[in-house]
Amino acid sequence: GAGVSQSPSNKVTEKGKDVELRCDPISGHTALYWYRQRLGQGLEFLIYFQGNSAPDKSGLPSDRFSAERTGESVSTLTIQRTQQEDSAVYLCASSPMRQGYEQYFGPGTRLTVT
Amino acid sequence: GENVEQHPSTLSVQEGDSAVIKCTYSDSASNYFPWYKQELGKRPQLIIDIRSNVGEKKDQRIAVTLNKTAKHFSLHITETQPEDSAVYFCAASRSYGTGTASKLTFGTGTRLQVTL
C-alpha cells in the first residue's frame, strides 16, 4: 500500500516568513511523529500525535513551532517567522500502534531559510 | 529523558567482512530498539528491531543483540556488500506493550563504508 507522504518535498523561504509542512500517514496508523534532521546530523524528535491529541510536544524548539492533526489522518507542522537555524529536513513518521510499534518514515521536506 | 549514544561514528570495512555498531541507552524503561538505514538523500528505512523481552534477533545477514542489564544493544552485519554502505541509526523508545505511542530517541549515526 501507499507509504507516508509529505509535501512539499522542497521549500525555500525567506527569513521571517511562515511555512506549513504537510504529512499524510499510512492509512489506519494511529500514531504520527515529526522529527527534524539537520544536515549530517541525527534525528531530533519534535512532537507526536496519538489520534488527534498531542501527548508529547517536548521537542518543539520554540513557540514559533506548532502542529495539528485531523483525526487519524493528515498533520501539518507550521513554523512561524522562520529563522536560518530552522533549515533542515523535516521528517514525518507513522505507526500502527495496535498492530505494532514500528515507525515508518516519509521522504521528508527539505526546508531552506534564506 | 532518554539519551542514546552510538559508536563508532564512521566505519570502513572490506566487502565480505563483518560490521558491528554499538549503542547504549540511559532510560531503563526503554523497551523497543529499532535500527534504521539511511542512504544519502533518502528517508530512514527500518531494517531490524528488537524488544526488551528478547536478547537477540536475526534476519538474514543482519542481527541485533540486546543486553538489558548493561543497557546496550548492537547491530551486526555479516558478509557486507557495497549496497550496505549508508548511515545507520539506532534508537530507543518505551512504546512496546503500553498501547500508547512514544517518541524514538536516536543515536548520532554511524556512516558505514563497504569497500571493494
Side-chain angles (χ1 to χ4, degrees):
Chain A
V4 179
S5 60
Q6 293 185 244
S7 61
S9 55
N10 279 284
K11 176 73 176 177
V12 180
T13 190
E14 290 181 353
K15 178 181 170 181
K17 295 286 178 76
D18 297 352
V19 296
E20 199 169 270
L21 313 180
R22 177 188 170 108
C23 172
D24 282 271
I26 295 171
S27 178
H29 279 198
T30 306
L32 185 150
Y33 306 78
W34 285 98
Y35 295 88
R36 177 170 72 178
Q37 187 173 33
R38 291 197 167 105
L39 187 64
Q41 305 290 314
L43 286 80
E44 304 171 71
F45 167 77
L46 297 177
I47 184 171
Y48 84 78
F49 291 89
Q50 186 147 356
N52 62 3
S53 67
D56 189 348
K57 308 179 184 180
S58 63
L60 293 178
S62 73
D63 58 8
R64 296 187 295 106
F65 288 70
S66 62
E68 61 180 27
R69 186 180 185 196
T70 306
E72 291 191 355
S73 63
V74 171
S75 175
T76 54
L77 176 69
T78 301
I79 308 173
Q80 296 178 307
R81 304 182 303 280
T82 50
Q83 303 294 311
Q84 288 188 328
E85 63 262 27
D86 299 335
S87 296
V89 176
Y90 289 82
L91 290 156
C92 173
S94 70
S95 176
M97 291 313 301
R98 284 182 290 274
Q99 296 84 13
Y101 300 88
E102 301 84 355
Q103 294 187 23
Y104 299 93
F105 281 85
T109 294
R110 182 175 298 279
L111 175 66
T112 304
V113 182
T114 61
Chain B
E2 175 67 280
N3 181 51
V4 177
E5 295 192 354
Q6 183 172 349
H7 300 280
S9 56
T10 59
L11 180 59
S12 183
V13 299
Q14 284 198 320
E15 183 180 9
D17 287 351
S18 295
V20 180
I21 302 170
K22 298 183 179 182
C23 290
T24 60
Y25 62 98
S26 62
D27 184 357
S28 56
S30 288
N31 56 20
Y32 173 65
F33 307 92
W35 286 87
Y36 285 84
K37 175 183 181 181
Q38 188 175 32
E39 296 176 21
L40 189 62
K42 301 285 183 65
R43 75 186 77 188
Q45 297 269 16
L46 178 69
I47 55 171
I48 196 167
D49 57 14
I50 193 166
R51 294 162 187 181
S52 60
N53 57 352
V54 174
E56 184 172 0
K57 184 177 178 181
K58 190 172 182 180
D59 182 5
Q60 299 183 345
R61 294 188 298 107
I62 59 174
V64 58
T65 58
L66 170 65
N67 183 328
K68 284 169 52 180
T69 303
K71 290 192 273 190
H72 66 69
F73 55 113
S74 302
L75 177 71
H76 304 251
I77 306 174
T78 58
E79 301 170 25
T80 52
Q81 301 167 4
E83 52 265 38
D84 294 330
S85 297
V87 178
Y88 291 80
F89 292 97
C90 63
S93 101
R94 328 171 136 200
S95 60
Y96 175 58
T98 65
T100 59
S102 179
K103 66 182 181 184
L104 286 172
T105 301
F106 284 85
T108 49
T110 295
R111 183 173 300 279
L112 175 64
Q113 181 72 43
V114 180
T115 58
L116 296 173

